[in-house]
């Protein structure tokens, strides 16, 4: 079985990277080309434990919705 390994080096401390990974605002900026928007649940800021966010985006001409819930949040 082939294995694909990808490493990304980020010039930032771990807390900054962790916070950016759960930033609703940054996600919307990074997916501007698909017009992805948070439409329910947490709409901006940093998503926290037991919160949800519902995203809406248009891919391949089809509008889709996806809801995610944070069930574990552990930063070490």
């Amino acid at each position: 079985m082939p294995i694909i390994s990808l490493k990304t080096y980020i010039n930032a401390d771990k807390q900054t990277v962790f916070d950016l990974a759960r930033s609703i605002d940054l996600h919307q900026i990074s997916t501007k080309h698909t017009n992805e928007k948070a439409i329910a649940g947490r709409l901006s800021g940093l998503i926290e434990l037991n919160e949800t966010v519902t995203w809406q985006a248009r891919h391949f001409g089809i509008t889709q919705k996806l809801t995610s819930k944070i069930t574990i949040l552990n930063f070490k």
Side-chain angles (χ1 to χ4, degrees):
M1 160 120 22
I3 297 174
I4 298 172
S5 178
L6 175 66
K7 293 183 182 183
T8 302
Y9 296 95
I10 302 171
N11 188 19
D13 62 277
K14 290 179 183 179
Q15 185 66 53
T16 299
V17 174
F18 183 73
D19 288 346
L20 290 174
R22 59 194 184 102
S23 170
I24 302 297
D25 305 307
L26 180 61
H27 185 79
Q28 289 182 114
I29 291 167
S30 71
T31 57
K32 190 173 184 177
H33 63 284
T34 59
N35 200 28
E36 195 159 327
K37 293 180 182 173
I39 59 168
R42 169 68 81 157
L43 300 178
S44 65
L46 302 179
I47 195 161
E48 300 285 352
L49 182 62
N50 294 319
E51 289 186 325
T52 62
V53 58
T54 299
W55 298 99
Q56 179 175 296
R58 190 167 182 85
H59 298 283
F60 305 110
I62 301 169
T63 300
Q64 302 174 21
K65 293 180 184 175
L66 168 75
T67 301
S68 298
K69 180 177 181 178
I70 304 303
T71 59
I72 298 173
L73 188 67
N74 187 8
F75 175 77
K76 290 184 179 183

